[in-house]
Amino acid sequence: MSDRYDQASEPARALLAAFDELQLAEMLAAASARVRRVRDLHREEYGCCAECTHESGVPFSCPTIRTLNEPPVPS
């Protein structure tokens, strides 16, 4: 963890210093739960996205799922 912290940008280090480990763990758990709910809504059904399709037949992976699956953009 120390190496990754050392490689973090100055704003990232300031953000990490503002929270304790428990707060960060709670924030991560909450964010993970939100992503899970989004994935549950945007699930594949018959080759389409169950949430986006309505009557237009949006193919799966929809833009929402593609965005979630993209690697993070380096800062």
Side-chain angles (χ1 to χ4, degrees):
M1 170 87 172
S2 178
D3 290 338
R4 295 185 89 181
Y5 179 83
D6 292 339
Q7 294 172 5
S9 66
E10 200 58 43
R13 287 188 208 174
L15 180 64
L16 288 171
F19 296 99
D20 66 26
E21 289 179 17
L22 181 58
Q23 286 173 310
L24 289 172
E26 289 171 346
M27 290 169 62
L28 178 60
S32 295
R34 287 184 189 105
V35 169
R36 176 79 275 154
R37 288 194 305 271
V38 169
R39 288 187 183 281
D40 288 346
L41 286 173
H42 293 267
R43 67 191 180 284
E44 183 177 5
E45 266 185 17
Y46 308 108
C48 293
C49 174
E51 179 67 14
C52 294
T53 290
H54 305 292
E55 295 184 19
S56 59
V58 176
F60 193 82
S61 300
C62 68
T64 302
I65 293 299
R66 287 195 309 266
T67 299
L68 285 176
N69 290 343
E70 287 177 359
V73 177
S75 54

